[in-house]
Amino acid sequence: MFLPELRNGPFPDLTRFGIPLTQVPHGFRLDAKVQSLDGLLSAQVSSDALDGVGGGGSGWAGSGAPITAYVVTSGRLEFARAGRRHGLTPGQVCVRDTSSAWSFSCTPAAEFRLVSVPRHLVLSYPGSSEGLDEVRVLEAEDPRGRVLEEFLERMETFGNNGNATAPLRALALDVCALILANILVDGRVRHPANAPMGTLSSAKDAIERNIGNADLSPSIVADLIGVSPRTLHRAFSASDDTVMAFIRRTRLRRAHDDLVSPGRGLGVTEIATRWHFSDASHFIRHFKSVYGATPRAYLRNLHGAAGPEA
């Protein structure tokens, strides 16, 4: 596929793309099933490693830039801009305003769904404009992400129905716009400090800032944000999560970044120690459960060569 084909297909906001040199000797594969339905574009994508820039293109004419969402089912996607980086692992969802350019990359064998909705439909909902110029990331357990994923699964059947009437097509477009607007609005609302969502957001920020602390625990997190441990646990429970599960996922994400970082050269044991896993086998087990391969196999797929011992 060349750039025009990608823009007319699975990457409507693409302005530049490339294939990493490590991928070239092994060939490159990108499969996409694309549906376009009265302004609503959806796609199922399976791709080898690639990188590029999406959004901010001159063709958007500013107000025409669509709002795009991604649901990751395998591998990892990453978006970066001006020092901000957002890594997406299986189950996570992000919503992105394509009026601004973000660089992106995906790992080998990445699989994800995406949907793109006309900007004016999303912004017709009060408060949605407050979430623009950002990437909004939902954790795998967030019910809004599950609603979006179910909607996209239904779209695969709906889009193949040649008898879908104009009112039904318009309804599908409005429903998707409402889902994305809800994510943008909730992503920007500042909840009172004693509300569950406000506590949850504050706790996650505190965990991200203090993840290098080997003794990080629910009681320490509660102290950092000024709530009781019971309030903290209740906030995580409301989102079907636990404090320690989020800490473990955060450490695993940092460990992944160390593993694939060029020139860092850290072995699996060193990474496991750095991010406070009890031992290398414990780290390998959790890594495989999220990324689908041991660290060594993951690097071999990524670089076409043996990675560190695992």
Side-chain angles (χ1 to χ4, degrees):
M1 285 186 172
F2 295 98
L3 184 59
E5 294 173 289
L6 291 171
R7 291 193 64 175
N8 291 328
F11 299 102
D13 63 311
L14 190 66
T15 57
R16 180 185 64 78
F17 87 104
I19 302 171
L21 291 178
T22 54
Q23 182 70 55
V24 173
H26 310 282
F28 177 76
R29 180 186 60 86
L30 188 151
D31 297 321
K33 296 179 181 178
V34 183
Q35 296 177 339
S36 183
L37 191 68
D38 292 352
L40 175 65
L41 185 147
S42 63
Q44 289 178 273
V45 181
S46 176
S47 176
D48 287 330
L50 64 83
D51 55 47
V53 175
S58 59
W60 287 134
S63 62
I67 306 299
T68 302
Y70 304 79
V71 181
V72 180
T73 55
S74 178
R76 176 181 169 90
L77 294 182
E78 184 172 283
F79 293 92
R81 176 180 177 227
R84 290 172 288 174
R85 307 185 75 86
H86 301 275
L88 306 173
T89 53
Q92 289 188 304
V93 173
C94 81
V95 176
R96 188 169 66 87
D97 173 16
T98 63
S99 65
S100 299
W102 287 74
S103 63
F104 72 90
S105 62
C106 71
T107 59
E111 296 181 359
F112 55 93
R113 289 185 170 94
L114 68 85
V115 63
S116 183
V117 179
R119 185 185 191 83
H120 70 277
L121 292 178
V122 178
L123 299 190
S124 66
Y125 293 94
S128 59
S129 62
E130 296 297 319
L132 297 182
D133 196 33
E134 292 287 347
V135 167
R136 295 290 172 220
V137 178
L138 302 182
E139 292 298 323
E141 300 85 356
D142 195 304
R144 293 168 297 166
R146 292 199 294 270
V147 168
L148 177 60
E149 186 170 14
E150 182 174 345
F151 173 83
L152 294 180
E153 290 174 354
R154 298 289 181 88
M155 277 296 300
E156 293 168 15
T157 302
F158 183 77
N160 293 325
N161 182 358
N163 298 320
T165 63
L168 281 176
R169 295 196 300 270
L171 178 61
L173 185 58
D174 287 341
V175 168
C176 191
L178 175 60
I179 294 171
L180 301 193
N182 180 262
I183 294 172
L184 289 174
V185 171
D186 285 357
R188 294 290 293 182
V189 171
R190 296 296 183 262
H191 300 272
N194 60 349
M197 285 302 296
T199 299
L200 186 63
S201 177
S202 298
K204 289 182 176 181
D205 287 344
I207 289 169
E208 292 281 359
R209 291 194 306 270
N210 295 275
I211 196 63
N213 181 354
D215 299 321
L216 194 61
S217 65
S219 60
I220 290 177
V221 174
D223 286 342
L224 287 170
I225 64 173
V227 300
S228 70
R230 181 177 180 180
T231 297
L232 177 69
H233 287 300
R234 187 165 60 242
F236 274 85
S237 178
S239 64
D240 294 324
D241 201 0
T242 69
V243 183
M244 291 309 300
F246 183 81
I247 290 174
R248 184 170 57 252
R249 291 198 304 274
T250 303
R251 286 175 172 160
L252 191 60
R253 174 164 45 84
R254 300 290 183 90
H256 169 277
D257 292 343
D258 276 355
L259 183 73
V260 302
S261 178
R264 182 154 293 180
L266 294 177
V268 168
T269 300
E270 293 171 284
I271 292 174
T273 300
R274 181 179 187 185
W275 295 111
H276 313 302
F277 290 89
S278 57
D279 53 45
S281 62
H282 186 235
F283 165 57
I284 292 168
R285 185 169 64 254
H286 284 295
F287 189 98
K288 185 175 182 180
S289 70
V290 171
Y291 295 100
T294 66
R296 181 178 183 178
Y298 187 86
L299 281 182
R300 186 167 57 245
N301 292 335
L302 186 63
H303 300 302
E309 292 299 320

